[in-house]
Each structure stands twice: as structure tokens, then as C-alpha cells.
Amino acid sequence: MPSLEEISKSVHDLLTTALPPVMALLTGFLIAGLLVIGLFTVLGLVLVFMERKVSAYMQIRVGPNRVGFKGTAQTLADTLKLVLKEGLTPSGSDKFLFNLAPFLVLITSMLLMAPIPFARNFQMWDLNIGVLYITAISSISVIGILMAGWSSNNKYSLLGAMRSGAQIVSYELSAGMAILTVVVLSGSLKISDIILSQQNGWWIFKGHIPVIISFVIFIIAVTAETNRAPFDMAEAESELTAGFHTEYSGMKFALFFLAEYVNIFIVCAIGAVLFLGGWMPFHIGSWGAFNRVMDYIPSSVWFMSKTFFLIFVIMWFRWTFPRLRIDQLLNLEWKYLLPISLFNLLLVTLVAIMGWYF
Amino acid sequence: MILLILCGIAFAGGGIMLSNVLARSTKNKVKGEAYECGVPTIGKSWIQFNVGYYLFALLFLIFDVELVFLYPWAVVAKQSGWIAFVEILIFLFILFLGFLYAHKKGALKWM
């Protein structure tokens, strides 16, 4: 079976030999763009379906099982329905900002697709400040959410957006600290370098307890950042109807929804890259035969299985923990997670300098 | 990056355009009102808002700038050894003092 790396290389060779350089570049861009849009749609469909199925089995239900084979076409049907619905704009709203907000949220999550390594050497843009790029771009989506909430001229929306803004910016700090610990250990901001530094063991195994602490902090922080339960204050539906997208309907709502699910994928992918070794296969010390078998599994399968495992964990949280109140939520971040992650950073620095990792 | 921005605009714009073309649209006065669970809306929502959120935004700004300062340090920390450790100790100590001050002043208390 040809790997993704070989396919992309052969396509690149074909383009450069068959076409003049400018045309080859443009065609390459076109293919990459189509791939990203395709991936975006497929991810949205798969993740929504997965969420509904996981929720169903956690509650001993069957979940969607009528449309298509065992309900697999359910999300497709839902999307079709959303496309056919009328997109309302409330008469009291700020029309320009109201229509701009879904674009902003969607473009943000699309930009985050760039530095994600889907397989060995299969990455759209391996820039040398990859980790910084991710933290910088991911904070733009707050603006989109605040914009959506404020421009709707609706009290539910405003409250939801304010809460969501406070929550996202707070938890970004802890997530950033957790990311920094891995940067300290691997000594590079480039995503491919970080993955290569885990060749002889993933950081969560190599880095002792401090890295495990920062992994736990990272998972908590990204659950809050993507507005997932138990931190879904922004759209606590029993209280705020739907939070910042109360007034959105039809396709605009679908875009928010899609961006939310793709964001979950992206943060889980980053978690997999930083702590679980990205596309690196699982190796155990000197077990030659075992390592050979693990090497035989394609790198894209490794990456996807790690990412989807983390997504499953985050979906699991939703049915395990009750929702927090806004003051409890901010307390948890500012009084516990932030001091812990500051102290943890010191510990990791000590580990890195003394060379106590394997 | 520009490619991805264009992709995003094309995807979102295409979706909304498609929806506009396909969807049936009727207009009436009640439809344009804000949805607040059926109760008629009282006043606008563009009002002065709880100052608590503002305090957290300010605190966030301080810590986020600090985080940005930490990135270049984190890259070279392993090479520079103990100097890096002592420096980060001093830096985080000063930061922690500020954090304690904010805590004492009650900036982290809700309402």
C-alpha cells in the first residue's frame, strides 16, 4: 500500500514535469485547497456522527440508526436540511458583523489545518514556529465568537459570548504553559522537529511525572477552550438556549457547528503531536520484532488513531462530569491550574537541564 | 496561509450562497425579532456589562504577554543550562508576586 508521503511526492513530480513551473505551483495550490475543503467536510460529518453514537452508547441507547447503513448518512441528511433552511438575520442586529462572524470562526479553524502533520512528511506548511503559530491563530476565534454574540442584539447571545470569551482566554494560558513544557524538552518550535525528538519514545513516557501533569492540564484546558462539556458554559442549553449562536439559523449555524467540531479535531491532533508522538509508531525498548510489526502500520493510521482516541476521551468527559458554574470555572483555572502549570514548568526545566528524561 | 484564507472564504461563502439559493424565504415582522423564548424583548442588549469579565481580560493580557516572552526562552533552555533555570526562577517569582497581589486585591473573586 503506497503511503501518503509517496502519493504526494509522485503527484508533485508529475506536476513539475508535465506543466510549466507557475502552472505547476497553481495546480498544486488548487489540489491542496480542494483537499483541505474535502477534509473539512468529511471531518465535520464523521465527528458529529461519532459524537452522537458515543453519547448514545454511553447512555445505553442505540443512537441514529435509520438513515443509510446503520445511520451513517444521518449527518449528511442533517446538513442537507440545514442548507435548505432559511438563514434569518434579526432586524435589530448589526448586519455586517452578524454575517462576518461565521466567516471569521471558520477561517480560523481552516488556518489551523496548515501545520498539522497527517503522516510522515505529509504536512501543508512545516513552518519553523509551528507551535507559536497554532497558539496565535487559535486565539483569533474568540473575536469571532464575541462578534457573533454582540451583534445578535440578544441577551442570551451576549451572555453566552461573554462567558465563552472569559473562559477561552483564561484556559488558553494553561494550554500554552502545557505546550511550553514540551517545547522546553524538545528545544524546538518546529512541529516536525518535535515529532522527530520522540523517535525513541513519546514525551508522555519519556518525560516522567511533570509531562504527565502537563498532559492532564492540556486536556482539561483544550476541553474548556473548545467549549465542550463540562465547560460548556457558553451554550448551557438549559439556561442560555444556545449561547452565542442563538440567533443563527440555517447555513450560518451549520458553519459555527462545523468549525466547533473541526476545532476539537485540531486540538486533539496537537495533543497527539506534542505528547503522543504524532505519526511515530509505538516502540518498546529493544523488542526488535515487536518494533518491526509496529513500523509496518502506516504513519497516517498512527496519527489518526491517536487523535481519535483523544477525541473519544473528550467526548467521554461530557457524559462523566456535571457542568460547572462560571465562577467555579474561573476559580479552577486561576487558582489551581495556572499556579500548578507555572510550577510544573519549573519542574520540567529542571528535568530538561539535568537530563533526567530518557 | 493566503490559500487557506481563500479556501475558508470560498467554503463559507459557497455554503451560504447555496443556502440562499435553495432555501425558501418569507418575510414578516415577528420573524425579525430577537429570540428570547417567546417573551417580548425589553430594551436593547447593547448595555454596560459586568466589570468582572473586564478584570479577567486584563489579567489574561498580562499572563499572555508573559507567555509570549517564554517562547524564545523555552527553545534555548536546554542548551543554556543553569543560567536559563535561574532566569526563569526570577521571572516566575516576580510574576507570581503579581499574581498574589491580584489575588489579595480580590480580582479573582467572582462578583
Side-chain angles (χ1 to χ4, degrees):
Chain A
M1 196 177 94
S3 66
L4 281 176
E5 181 191 3
E6 285 160 16
I7 296 172
S8 70
K9 200 166 177 303
S10 58
V11 168
H12 185 255
D13 288 346
L14 187 73
L15 284 179
T16 40
T17 47
L19 295 167
V22 181
M23 281 299 286
L25 196 69
L26 285 179
T27 326
F29 277 171
L30 194 70
I31 293 173
L34 286 178
L35 268 181
V36 167
I37 289 179
L39 186 72
F40 220 74
T41 327
V42 171
L43 269 181
L45 293 178
V46 169
L47 286 179
V48 174
F49 182 68
M50 181 179 162
E51 161 99 66
R52 293 182 67 176
K53 271 293 188 192
V54 169
S55 314
Y57 283 117
M58 294 261 170
Q59 300 170 322
I60 327 181
R61 292 186 284 122
V62 187
N65 65 342
R66 292 296 170 88
V67 191
F69 175 68
K70 295 212 181 251
T72 36
Q74 181 67 50
T75 35
L76 204 64
D78 287 347
T79 319
L80 209 63
K81 190 201 81 175
L82 279 171
V83 170
L84 292 175
K85 290 278 176 189
E86 180 186 354
L88 277 176
T89 312
S91 44
S93 66
D94 187 329
K95 302 249 167 15
F96 177 66
L97 290 183
F98 187 82
N99 289 321
L100 189 66
F103 281 86
L104 201 64
V105 174
L106 195 89
I107 289 170
T108 312
S109 40
M110 205 159 253
L111 280 177
L112 283 172
M113 280 284 181
I116 289 181
F118 290 100
R120 199 187 300 265
N121 294 332
F122 189 77
Q123 199 173 354
M124 269 191 83
W125 191 21
D126 189 13
L127 72 176
N128 53 2
I129 50 161
V131 175
L132 188 62
Y133 172 88
I134 289 166
T135 36
I137 298 288
S138 64
S139 44
I140 294 179
S141 69
V142 179
I143 302 172
I145 287 173
L146 283 176
M147 212 184 246
W150 186 82
S151 66
S152 301
N153 196 4
N154 180 324
K155 276 117 192 162
Y156 291 133
S157 303
L158 185 66
L159 264 173
M162 280 296 187
R163 283 178 180 183
S164 161
Q167 169 186 339
I168 292 174
V169 298
S170 301
Y171 278 83
E172 219 171 76
L173 296 175
S174 291
M177 286 284 181
I179 289 172
L180 263 182
T181 57
V182 176
V183 174
V184 168
L185 282 170
S186 57
S188 174
L189 289 169
K190 199 172 176 177
I191 297 246
S192 54
D193 282 354
I194 289 177
I195 295 177
L196 284 178
S197 74
Q198 308 182 55
Q199 204 151 25
N200 51 350
W202 308 342
W203 278 124
I204 194 162
F205 299 133
K206 279 203 295 181
H208 294 289
I209 295 162
V211 177
I212 294 174
I213 295 174
S214 66
F215 179 67
V216 172
I217 290 175
F218 181 80
I219 288 290
I220 296 174
V222 297
T223 314
E225 250 191 277
T226 47
N227 281 327
R228 298 281 306 170
F231 306 106
D232 61 344
M233 290 310 308
E235 42 193 303
E237 57 264 34
S238 46
E239 185 186 358
L240 288 180
T241 324
F244 62 89
H245 51 59
T246 304
E247 288 290 357
Y248 285 86
S249 58
M251 201 56 204
K252 285 173 206 156
F253 167 74
L255 292 179
F256 272 116
F257 206 60
L258 183 66
E260 201 180 303
Y261 276 94
V262 173
N263 273 338
I264 296 170
F265 172 78
I266 287 165
V267 293
C268 288
I270 293 161
V273 165
L274 292 175
F275 297 98
L276 302 180
W279 42 257
M280 278 292 172
F282 179 69
H283 280 177
I284 298 179
S286 53
W287 293 17
F290 180 77
N291 293 350
R292 288 283 294 256
V293 172
M294 288 291 147
D295 280 337
Y296 193 69
I297 300 172
S299 53
S300 50
V301 172
W302 274 111
F303 176 75
M304 280 296 169
S305 52
K306 284 170 193 171
T307 309
F308 273 86
F309 170 72
L310 286 183
I311 293 173
F312 174 71
V313 169
I314 283 183
M315 285 176 180
W316 196 350
F317 284 169
R318 179 169 174 185
W319 302 105
T320 312
F321 301 116
R323 187 183 291 142
L324 271 72
R325 238 176 25 224
I326 180 80
D327 58 330
Q328 292 169 334
L329 183 103
L330 291 173
N331 265 353
L332 173 69
E333 161 64 18
W334 289 97
K335 292 191 183 154
Y336 299 98
L337 287 187
L338 193 63
I340 289 174
S341 50
L342 281 175
F343 187 67
N344 192 40
L345 187 66
L346 278 182
L347 269 182
V348 169
T349 318
L350 202 63
V351 166
I353 289 169
M354 298 295 282
W356 280 341
Y357 57 91
F358 300 115
Chain B
M1 195 168 162
I2 293 165
L3 167 78
L4 284 169
I5 292 177
L6 285 178
C7 276
I9 292 173
F11 187 68
I16 289 176
M17 289 272 270
L18 189 73
S19 155
N20 281 348
V21 171
L22 291 178
R24 215 163 40 150
S25 171
T26 52
K27 277 225 159 46
N28 68 49
K29 194 159 158 277
V30 188
K31 232 177 181 179
E33 280 177 6
Y35 176 74
E36 286 175 7
C37 296
V39 182
T41 318
I42 300 169
K44 286 202 161 193
S45 23
W46 295 331
I47 44 171
Q48 288 187 336
F49 210 71
N50 185 0
V51 73
Y53 292 103
Y54 179 69
L55 279 178
F56 278 102
L58 270 185
L59 272 177
F60 160 72
L61 202 64
I62 297 163
F63 276 89
D64 208 36
V65 169
E66 162 258 321
L67 205 63
V68 171
F69 280 134
L70 281 179
Y71 270 98
W73 165 83
V75 176
V76 294
K78 214 158 71 173
Q79 293 150 25
S80 18
W82 284 108
I83 302 171
F85 186 71
V86 173
E87 273 178 352
I88 203 63
L89 208 60
I90 297 169
F91 185 74
L92 288 187
F93 179 69
I94 296 171
L95 198 77
F96 203 68
L97 281 185
F99 179 72
L100 282 182
Y101 175 74
H103 189 46
K104 189 107 191 302
K105 277 281 181 186
L108 299 181
K109 238 185 273 154
W110 191 248
M111 312 280 166

PDB file of all heavy atoms in Angstrom, chain B residues 92-103:
ATOM      1  N   LEU B  92       9.558  33.993  37.011  1.00  0.00           N
ATOM      2  CA  LEU B  92       8.290  33.452  37.504  1.00  0.00           C
ATOM      3  C   LEU B  92       8.006  33.923  38.925  1.00  0.00           C
ATOM      4  O   LEU B  92       6.856  34.086  39.313  1.00  0.00           O
ATOM      5  CB  LEU B  92       8.299  31.919  37.457  1.00  0.00           C
ATOM      6  CG  LEU B  92       8.204  31.295  36.075  1.00  0.00           C
ATOM      7  CD1 LEU B  92       8.059  29.795  36.190  1.00  0.00           C
ATOM      8  CD2 LEU B  92       7.038  31.850  35.301  1.00  0.00           C
ATOM      9  N   PHE B  93       9.074  34.197  39.701  1.00  0.00           N
ATOM     10  CA  PHE B  93       8.878  34.685  41.065  1.00  0.00           C
ATOM     11  C   PHE B  93       8.220  36.061  41.033  1.00  0.00           C
ATOM     12  O   PHE B  93       7.237  36.317  41.732  1.00  0.00           O
ATOM     13  CB  PHE B  93      10.228  34.743  41.791  1.00  0.00           C
ATOM     14  CG  PHE B  93      10.133  35.247  43.195  1.00  0.00           C
ATOM     15  CD1 PHE B  93       9.514  34.476  44.165  1.00  0.00           C
ATOM     16  CD2 PHE B  93      10.643  36.485  43.546  1.00  0.00           C
ATOM     17  CE1 PHE B  93       9.408  34.936  45.460  1.00  0.00           C
ATOM     18  CE2 PHE B  93      10.540  36.947  44.841  1.00  0.00           C
ATOM     19  CZ  PHE B  93       9.922  36.174  45.801  1.00  0.00           C
ATOM     20  N   ILE B  94       8.746  36.946  40.185  1.00  0.00           N
ATOM     21  CA  ILE B  94       8.157  38.291  40.061  1.00  0.00           C
ATOM     22  C   ILE B  94       6.712  38.191  39.594  1.00  0.00           C
ATOM     23  O   ILE B  94       5.803  38.836  40.123  1.00  0.00           O
ATOM     24  CB  ILE B  94       8.993  39.142  39.081  1.00  0.00           C
ATOM     25  CG1 ILE B  94      10.395  39.353  39.628  1.00  0.00           C
ATOM     26  CG2 ILE B  94       8.319  40.481  38.836  1.00  0.00           C
ATOM     27  CD1 ILE B  94      11.335  39.987  38.654  1.00  0.00           C
ATOM     28  N   LEU B  95       6.505  37.296  38.612  1.00  0.00           N
ATOM     29  CA  LEU B  95       5.156  37.111  38.074  1.00  0.00           C
ATOM     30  C   LEU B  95       4.207  36.601  39.144  1.00  0.00           C
ATOM     31  O   LEU B  95       3.065  37.050  39.270  1.00  0.00           O
ATOM     32  CB  LEU B  95       5.235  36.092  36.932  1.00  0.00           C
ATOM     33  CG  LEU B  95       4.051  36.092  36.003  1.00  0.00           C
ATOM     34  CD1 LEU B  95       4.162  37.278  35.088  1.00  0.00           C
ATOM     35  CD2 LEU B  95       4.030  34.826  35.200  1.00  0.00           C
ATOM     36  N   PHE B  96       4.726  35.690  39.964  1.00  0.00           N
ATOM     37  CA  PHE B  96       3.895  35.081  40.998  1.00  0.00           C
ATOM     38  C   PHE B  96       3.526  36.107  42.067  1.00  0.00           C
ATOM     39  O   PHE B  96       2.419  36.085  42.600  1.00  0.00           O
ATOM     40  CB  PHE B  96       4.644  33.891  41.615  1.00  0.00           C
ATOM     41  CG  PHE B  96       3.741  32.903  42.259  1.00  0.00           C
ATOM     42  CD1 PHE B  96       2.883  32.143  41.482  1.00  0.00           C
ATOM     43  CD2 PHE B  96       3.727  32.736  43.626  1.00  0.00           C
ATOM     44  CE1 PHE B  96       2.031  31.229  42.070  1.00  0.00           C
ATOM     45  CE2 PHE B  96       2.875  31.822  44.219  1.00  0.00           C
ATOM     46  CZ  PHE B  96       2.028  31.073  43.444  1.00  0.00           C
ATOM     47  N   LEU B  97       4.481  37.034  42.351  1.00  0.00           N
ATOM     48  CA  LEU B  97       4.177  38.120  43.287  1.00  0.00           C
ATOM     49  C   LEU B  97       3.002  38.932  42.768  1.00  0.00           C
ATOM     50  O   LEU B  97       2.067  39.263  43.515  1.00  0.00           O
ATOM     51  CB  LEU B  97       5.396  39.022  43.475  1.00  0.00           C
ATOM     52  CG  LEU B  97       6.482  38.526  44.419  1.00  0.00           C
ATOM     53  CD1 LEU B  97       7.539  39.595  44.586  1.00  0.00           C
ATOM     54  CD2 LEU B  97       5.879  38.172  45.766  1.00  0.00           C
ATOM     55  N   GLY B  98       3.047  39.249  41.473  1.00  0.00           N
ATOM     56  CA  GLY B  98       1.950  39.998  40.861  1.00  0.00           C
ATOM     57  C   GLY B  98       0.644  39.243  40.953  1.00  0.00           C
ATOM     58  O   GLY B  98      -0.410  39.811  41.261  1.00  0.00           O
ATOM     59  N   PHE B  99       0.732  37.947  40.738  1.00  0.00           N
ATOM     60  CA  PHE B  99      -0.458  37.085  40.807  1.00  0.00           C
ATOM     61  C   PHE B  99      -1.044  37.102  42.213  1.00  0.00           C
ATOM     62  O   PHE B  99      -2.257  37.243  42.412  1.00  0.00           O
ATOM     63  CB  PHE B  99      -0.043  35.669  40.391  1.00  0.00           C
ATOM     64  CG  PHE B  99      -1.157  34.678  40.432  1.00  0.00           C
ATOM     65  CD1 PHE B  99      -2.164  34.716  39.488  1.00  0.00           C
ATOM     66  CD2 PHE B  99      -1.188  33.703  41.411  1.00  0.00           C
ATOM     67  CE1 PHE B  99      -3.190  33.804  39.522  1.00  0.00           C
ATOM     68  CE2 PHE B  99      -2.210  32.789  41.449  1.00  0.00           C
ATOM     69  CZ  PHE B  99      -3.214  32.848  40.501  1.00  0.00           C
ATOM     70  N   LEU B 100      -0.139  37.017  43.230  1.00  0.00           N
ATOM     71  CA  LEU B 100      -0.594  37.038  44.622  1.00  0.00           C
ATOM     72  C   LEU B 100      -1.252  38.369  44.954  1.00  0.00           C
ATOM     73  O   LEU B 100      -2.257  38.424  45.665  1.00  0.00           O
ATOM     74  CB  LEU B 100       0.591  36.791  45.562  1.00  0.00           C
ATOM     75  CG  LEU B 100       1.048  35.347  45.680  1.00  0.00           C
ATOM     76  CD1 LEU B 100       2.184  35.251  46.674  1.00  0.00           C
ATOM     77  CD2 LEU B 100      -0.095  34.466  46.114  1.00  0.00           C
ATOM     78  N   TYR B 101      -0.678  39.461  44.410  1.00  0.00           N
ATOM     79  CA  TYR B 101      -1.242  40.789  44.638  1.00  0.00           C
ATOM     80  C   TYR B 101      -2.658  40.856  44.084  1.00  0.00           C
ATOM     81  O   TYR B 101      -3.584  41.316  44.773  1.00  0.00           O
ATOM     82  CB  TYR B 101      -0.349  41.843  43.971  1.00  0.00           C
ATOM     83  CG  TYR B 101      -0.907  43.235  44.042  1.00  0.00           C
ATOM     84  CD1 TYR B 101      -0.886  43.935  45.244  1.00  0.00           C
ATOM     85  CD2 TYR B 101      -1.460  43.844  42.927  1.00  0.00           C
ATOM     86  CE1 TYR B 101      -1.398  45.202  45.326  1.00  0.00           C
ATOM     87  CE2 TYR B 101      -1.977  45.111  42.995  1.00  0.00           C
ATOM     88  CZ  TYR B 101      -1.947  45.787  44.202  1.00  0.00           C
ATOM     89  OH  TYR B 101      -2.480  47.030  44.271  1.00  0.00           O
ATOM     90  N   ALA B 102      -2.837  40.351  42.854  1.00  0.00           N
ATOM     91  CA  ALA B 102      -4.165  40.350  42.243  1.00  0.00           C
ATOM     92  C   ALA B 102      -5.140  39.516  43.067  1.00  0.00           C
ATOM     93  O   ALA B 102      -6.294  39.894  43.272  1.00  0.00           O
ATOM     94  CB  ALA B 102      -4.089  39.808  40.824  1.00  0.00           C
ATOM     95  N   HIS B 103      -4.627  38.401  43.581  1.00  0.00           N
ATOM     96  CA  HIS B 103      -5.448  37.509  44.394  1.00  0.00           C
ATOM     97  C   HIS B 103      -5.891  38.209  45.678  1.00  0.00           C
ATOM     98  O   HIS B 103      -7.045  38.152  46.097  1.00  0.00           O
ATOM     99  CB  HIS B 103      -4.634  36.255  44.705  1.00  0.00           C
ATOM    100  CG  HIS B 103      -5.432  35.169  45.340  1.00  0.00           C
ATOM    101  ND1 HIS B 103      -6.653  34.795  44.882  1.00  0.00           N
ATOM    102  CD2 HIS B 103      -5.161  34.399  46.418  1.00  0.00           C
ATOM    103  CE1 HIS B 103      -7.124  33.832  45.647  1.00  0.00           C
ATOM    104  NE2 HIS B 103      -6.244  33.577  46.578  1.00  0.00           N
TER     105      HIS B 103
END
